[in-house]
Amino acid sequence: EPLIANHDRSAFEIVCYSTRTNSDAMTDRLKSLSDRWRDISQLNDDQASELIQSEGVDILVDLSGHTSGHRLLVFARKPAPVQVTYLGYPNTTGMESIDYRFTDERSDPPGDSDSRFIEELIRLPHGFLCYQPPLDFPGIGKKAKLEAGKVTFGSFNHQAKINPRLIRSWG
């Protein structure tokens, strides 16, 4: 959301291709921030690729990687001259049709990690993770601060991944 909200509209047009079959408040906010919104959830990979190509997209950005509901087969058809993977999957797509992967030097240190990716790594200078908390997210309270020698853990993972074994490991 912050990337779409803060892009330079005089230099870039943001077109979002949604693969979601349902809509929520986040969908509505992203839709309002984009210049154009396309629902491609009902299109097959050939149709989606043809639509993207017909709209003259210069840079197509994948936000899913190999996660559930991905559309990597659209990217395999190379509907845009430059294709990038970013944010949603912390590894290579393994696809030669995807040119670049946005990352940073902490996540993928220069050197050895470069050989582990098909994509050319573009390391952003201040970190590549760019999220905004939900609008109804509670503020950070006193208990969540480092005080009295206590450590507070946070996680950006799916809640199902935070389980008793993980909490024991943190402990």
Side-chain angles (χ1 to χ4, degrees):
E1 184 174 353
L3 293 175
I4 295 172
N6 294 294
H7 77 276
D8 180 354
R9 290 185 185 273
S10 68
F12 298 97
E13 178 184 32
I14 302 295
V15 181
C16 293
Y17 296 94
S18 175
T19 61
R20 294 183 53 121
T21 55
N22 58 348
S23 185
D24 58 15
M26 173 64 78
T27 307
D28 294 339
R29 284 199 313 275
L30 293 175
K31 199 182 283 191
S32 73
L33 294 170
S34 65
D35 296 306
R36 285 187 284 150
W37 185 270
R38 302 286 187 251
D39 178 355
I40 62 167
S41 62
Q42 302 303 309
L43 301 182
N44 67 34
D45 295 330
D46 285 329
Q47 292 168 326
S49 180
E50 288 169 13
L51 173 65
I52 293 164
Q53 191 169 26
S54 74
E55 295 194 329
V57 171
D58 297 305
I59 303 170
L60 186 62
V61 182
D62 161 55
L63 299 175
S64 299
H66 288 281
T67 61
S68 177
H70 70 79
R71 295 297 296 266
L72 288 175
L73 292 177
V74 171
F75 284 83
R77 290 158 171 77
K78 194 76 173 179
V82 176
Q83 300 191 147
V84 178
T85 188
Y86 172 62
L87 201 58
Y89 185 71
N91 209 330
T92 185
T93 61
M95 298 177 63
E96 292 180 2
S97 61
I98 298 187
D99 307 294
Y100 303 101
R101 178 174 178 271
F102 291 151
T103 186
D104 59 49
E105 64 182 30
R106 288 184 184 241
S107 299
D108 296 297
D112 187 45
S113 63
D114 292 89
S115 65
R116 297 183 184 146
F117 293 88
I118 296 273
E119 307 86 1
E120 181 181 335
L121 298 181
I122 305 296
R123 291 178 178 86
L124 303 177
H126 303 292
F128 79 104
L129 297 171
C130 182
Y131 292 100
Q132 176 175 311
L135 297 177
D136 61 353
F137 195 78
I140 297 175
K142 196 171 188 178
K143 291 184 180 197
K145 296 178 180 173
L146 182 62
E147 61 182 34
K150 295 179 182 177
V151 176
T152 301
F153 288 90
S155 174
F156 289 104
N157 282 297
H158 190 279
Q159 190 171 357
K161 294 180 182 179
I162 302 173
N163 55 51
R165 182 177 174 191
L166 175 64
I167 291 172
R168 280 194 306 277
S169 295
W170 282 350

